[in-house]
Amino acid sequence: LTQVIERAPQPVADAHYHRALALVALQRDDEAIVDYQRAVTLKPGFAAAHNNLGGLLRQRHDYAGADAAFAAALQADPALVDARYNRALTAMQRGDLPLARALLQDCLKRAPDHDGARATLVDVLNDLGERGEALTLARASAKRLPNSVAICNALGQMEDAAGNVDAARAAYRAGLAVSAGNATLAMNLAALESENANVEAARAVFESALAAQEHPGLRLRLATLLPSIPMSEAAIDQARTTFVQSLRDVAARGLHLDDPVNDFGDTPFYLSYHGRRDDRDVLATLATTLRQCAPDLAYTAPHIAAVRDAQAAPRSGKRRIGVCSSFLFDHSVGRAMHAILAAIPRDEFDVHLFLLPPFRDDALARQMQAQSTVHRLPFDLHAARERIAGVRLDLLLYPEIGMEALTYFLAHARLAPVQWNTLGHPCSSGLPEIDAYVSYAALEPAGSERHYSESLIRLAGMPFPDYPAEPASPLLADVVARVRQSVGVTPSAPLLICPQSLFKLMPAFDTTLRHILDAAPGAHVLLPEPTQGGQMTAIKARFAHTLGDAAARVQFFARRSRAEFIRLIAASDVLLDPFPVGGGITTWDALAVGTPIVTWPGEHLRGRFASAALTAAGAPELIATSATDYAHIVHTLLTQTELAAGVRTRLVEAAPQIYADRTAISGWVDALRAACNR
């Protein structure tokens, strides 16, 4: 082909096109791009060359160039379905979901059996918040194309999101029957098993897939596998020891991740709930290992490099603050952040919200977006990173790091001169590029800075300033009776509620729970049903061992609206705040109805929300000093009704002041101002 190109009397577009194909096969993509560009210059209507050029540019994260190439291919040949599909993928990676949706729907009109277009459209619909439509399309596609790996994966994800665990498991296994070593299917199935507290099944999935085909992401996921419901304190210690040792083994293997979000795409979420002191060190070990496997994680935005090299001219005008989160809607993170975002003075700061898919739209989300510039990021690390870097921020705040993958991997990069983390996920990030963790003095005892890889900022005032509380009013006796009967408890039986996700309940708490139930033979404990049914099965098995006969008096209530949830708390006699990790937002919800909260604060932020609230409410007698004291306080509340009634009155009277507390707001603004000025 080179000889043809050199000897032909006139340039030949086809020769450049075919040489580009050969160069791609030889992994000489730079030269292939030049040949494709030459081919389309010589023959502007060469649709296949435009399409292939777009594919190479997209691989290099040149999404604008790729989109232009695919658009040119479609202009030359509107019937070229591959170009339409590729342009849709590019639009998705750029974050233009409406365009991706339109292109994919057009693909399916022209090629109804295009499984890639069907599977990608399911993803796009889900990211747009059209979960019902996405599930319907996934099910219809699976009937039409039952042997498509991509469709099996899309169906599994949507069934899992809908809470249909068995259907999701079946879909993933159907895909793996076709492609045993498929890493994406294996990761998703193993994650499903792990979330359902079946660690050994998850391990088996990883090992089976690795036996079929080696994959660095699967190897890392196997190394970082943690139980969602640990069966004993010894099991926790063993899991953490294995976690660190496995990371060292991975580092020794020299694994490489091209795209850490898609090749690995996990966070060590459960580490933070074990109540151990070494989270900072374990998380730092993970961060170091990941940056070794994917050196590109240590990305630095161009404007940061210019500032460091003293080449950037000082910028006039307002300072730019970015907030990057998946949860800026009516979620615990949104409720914690809404007043802080609203209070940032817009005459001094430009506020940019970087939202991650799937996008949610509710009243609180719209309120937070009202005075801010909103960027809907694509689920693509490179594109999202470049989008944030392009705003040239002065400060970037992550309200939570460690709750989902894309935010976690973005936080490895230096995208602003100042980068902060705060208590949406109540734990240090362990990441070298996060400068400070913003917390509250009420939650941080002396010396707690040792738990953070970041500098610790302690603000005055209460967390969750200007909290959007659900309106509450005292429940009449007949209403209390109906609420209790709805969960199978008689009106006269002592009722304890622990409204925390089951993964927060550590085995150490079981011992105290048994003491409480043994001292009150007629008492019942209410726990919420998890979205993953396997967690309930696992904790029931653990309770059968740790609680003995008292396990029969632990009941689970179905998920319900926030208002109904608070009524259930109001109908309970005592709210149990578990240790070593307690409640945050649920504690603030409970204050309004006055249900006595018993807590035993530890030395970490994650176990101190209830003690901060009770101190502010003037009810320090509900704060235990030991596990034995905890059980004694609960017993006192159950047996001394007048004392319990007095506590309810105090909490109800104090709640409005706690909800309205805006002391922390000025602290946030002052801290932001000082950081930007530095």
Side-chain angles (χ1 to χ4, degrees), residues 13-365:
D14 279 14
H16 286 282
Y17 172 79
H18 285 287
R19 187 169 70 174
L21 294 175
L23 288 165
V24 168
L26 292 168
Q27 298 183 336
R28 292 161 60 180
D29 289 356
D30 288 343
E31 297 166 80
I33 287 172
V34 172
D35 264 339
Y36 281 134
Q37 289 172 333
R38 182 63 174 152
V40 298
T41 299
L42 294 169
K43 187 177 177 181
F46 201 155
H50 283 296
N51 183 54
N52 291 0
L53 173 60
L56 289 178
L57 295 175
R58 184 160 62 84
Q59 288 176 15
R60 300 192 162 207
H61 312 293
D62 179 2
Y63 299 125
D67 184 67
F70 295 135
L74 289 172
Q75 184 176 9
D77 182 3
L80 188 57
V81 172
D82 280 351
R84 198 172 303 278
Y85 174 60
N86 286 330
R87 192 179 182 208
L89 292 177
T90 306
M92 189 177 180
Q93 289 174 296
R94 296 177 74 186
D96 191 345
L97 296 180
L99 175 59
R101 179 180 189 170
L103 288 166
L104 291 166
Q105 288 171 333
D106 198 12
C107 277
L108 294 179
K109 289 178 182 176
R110 298 167 183 270
D113 289 340
H114 195 303
D115 65 336
R118 284 180 172 272
T120 306
L121 183 55
V122 169
D123 286 342
V124 169
L125 291 170
N126 184 49
D127 285 352
L128 285 167
E130 308 275 355
R131 184 170 287 182
E133 187 176 347
L135 178 57
T136 298
L137 175 62
R139 287 173 173 171
S141 299
K143 288 180 179 178
R144 186 179 186 108
L145 303 168
N147 294 319
S148 164
V149 170
I151 294 297
C152 288
N153 185 62
L155 178 61
Q157 288 181 300
M158 295 316 305
E159 294 287 9
D160 189 10
N164 304 322
V165 173
D166 289 340
R169 183 182 287 116
Y172 291 137
R173 291 204 176 279
L176 286 169
V178 176
S179 177
N182 186 281
T184 301
L185 283 165
M187 284 183 191
N188 288 338
L189 176 57
L192 176 74
E193 299 292 6
S194 177
E195 288 297 305
N196 278 277
N198 197 342
V199 176
E200 292 312 310
R203 192 184 312 280
V205 171
F206 284 133
E207 290 173 347
S208 176
L210 285 166
Q213 182 175 337
E214 185 61 37
H215 186 277
L218 289 176
R219 188 66 63 185
L220 260 171
R221 290 286 281 268
L222 178 58
T224 55
L225 189 59
L226 291 168
S228 58
I229 303 293
M231 301 309 286
S232 68
E233 293 294 319
I236 293 174
D237 292 333
Q238 181 59 55
R240 294 172 73 91
T241 298
T242 301
F243 185 96
V244 173
Q245 184 57 55
S246 297
L247 285 176
R248 291 177 181 147
D249 294 344
V250 164
R253 283 174 174 264
L255 299 183
H256 178 75
L257 297 173
D258 291 323
D259 181 350
V261 172
N262 286 309
D263 291 349
F264 174 63
D266 198 15
T267 66
F269 177 77
Y270 294 114
L271 277 177
S272 305
Y273 296 95
H274 293 158
R276 301 303 192 258
R277 293 181 173 180
D278 61 346
D279 288 340
R280 182 194 66 183
D281 296 335
V282 175
L283 289 165
T285 300
L286 174 64
T288 300
T289 305
L290 287 171
R291 291 159 79 91
Q292 178 181 319
C293 295
D296 186 53
L297 284 174
Y299 169 88
T300 298
H303 75 289
I304 304 295
V307 169
R308 287 176 174 170
D309 296 339
Q311 296 174 355
R315 194 180 72 233
S316 60
K318 300 178 185 178
R319 297 296 189 181
R320 295 176 190 166
I321 293 174
V323 181
C324 181
S325 174
S326 289
F327 304 105
L328 294 180
F329 55 93
D330 191 7
H331 177 277
S332 58
V333 172
R335 290 182 226 160
M337 291 301 303
H338 79 103
I340 296 163
L341 295 178
I344 298 173
R346 293 326 197 254
D347 60 341
E348 188 176 348
F349 299 97
D350 280 330
V351 178
H352 295 258
L353 303 185
F354 297 95
L355 310 181
L356 277 61
F359 303 114
R360 308 291 179 87
D361 180 44
D362 58 34
L364 197 60

Side-chain angles (χ1 to χ4, degrees), residues 355-488:
L355 310 181
L356 277 61
F359 303 114
R360 308 291 179 87
D361 180 44
D362 58 34
L364 197 60
R366 291 189 291 274
Q367 177 185 327
M368 287 186 279
Q369 295 171 22
Q371 292 183 289
S372 304
T373 302
V374 178
H375 307 262
R376 288 179 169 81
L377 297 180
F379 197 81
D380 179 275
L381 180 60
H382 290 84
R385 210 161 50 185
E386 290 181 4
R387 184 82 62 85
I388 297 172
V391 179
R392 298 173 59 88
L393 296 168
D394 295 291
L395 184 146
L396 177 57
L397 170 67
Y398 294 97
E400 78 292 326
I401 295 176
M403 287 177 63
E404 61 81 40
L406 183 54
T407 306
Y408 175 74
F409 287 111
L410 284 170
H412 277 263
R414 175 59 67 175
L415 302 175
V418 180
Q419 300 190 149
W420 287 356
N421 184 16
T422 190
L423 50 76
H425 189 49
C427 185
S428 171
S429 67
L431 299 177
E433 298 298 346
I434 301 301
D435 305 305
Y437 192 100
V438 185
S439 187
Y440 298 83
L443 304 175
E444 300 287 353
S448 63
E449 57 273 0
R450 69 183 180 276
H451 301 309
Y452 296 92
S453 60
E454 308 89 345
S455 298
L456 180 60
I457 298 174
R458 292 180 173 92
L459 298 180
M462 298 295 285
F464 319 133
D466 204 8
Y467 184 71
E470 188 76 21
S473 58
L475 297 186
L476 299 175
D478 62 326
V479 177
V480 171
R482 285 200 302 272
V483 172
R484 287 178 171 229
Q485 287 167 352
S486 72
V487 291

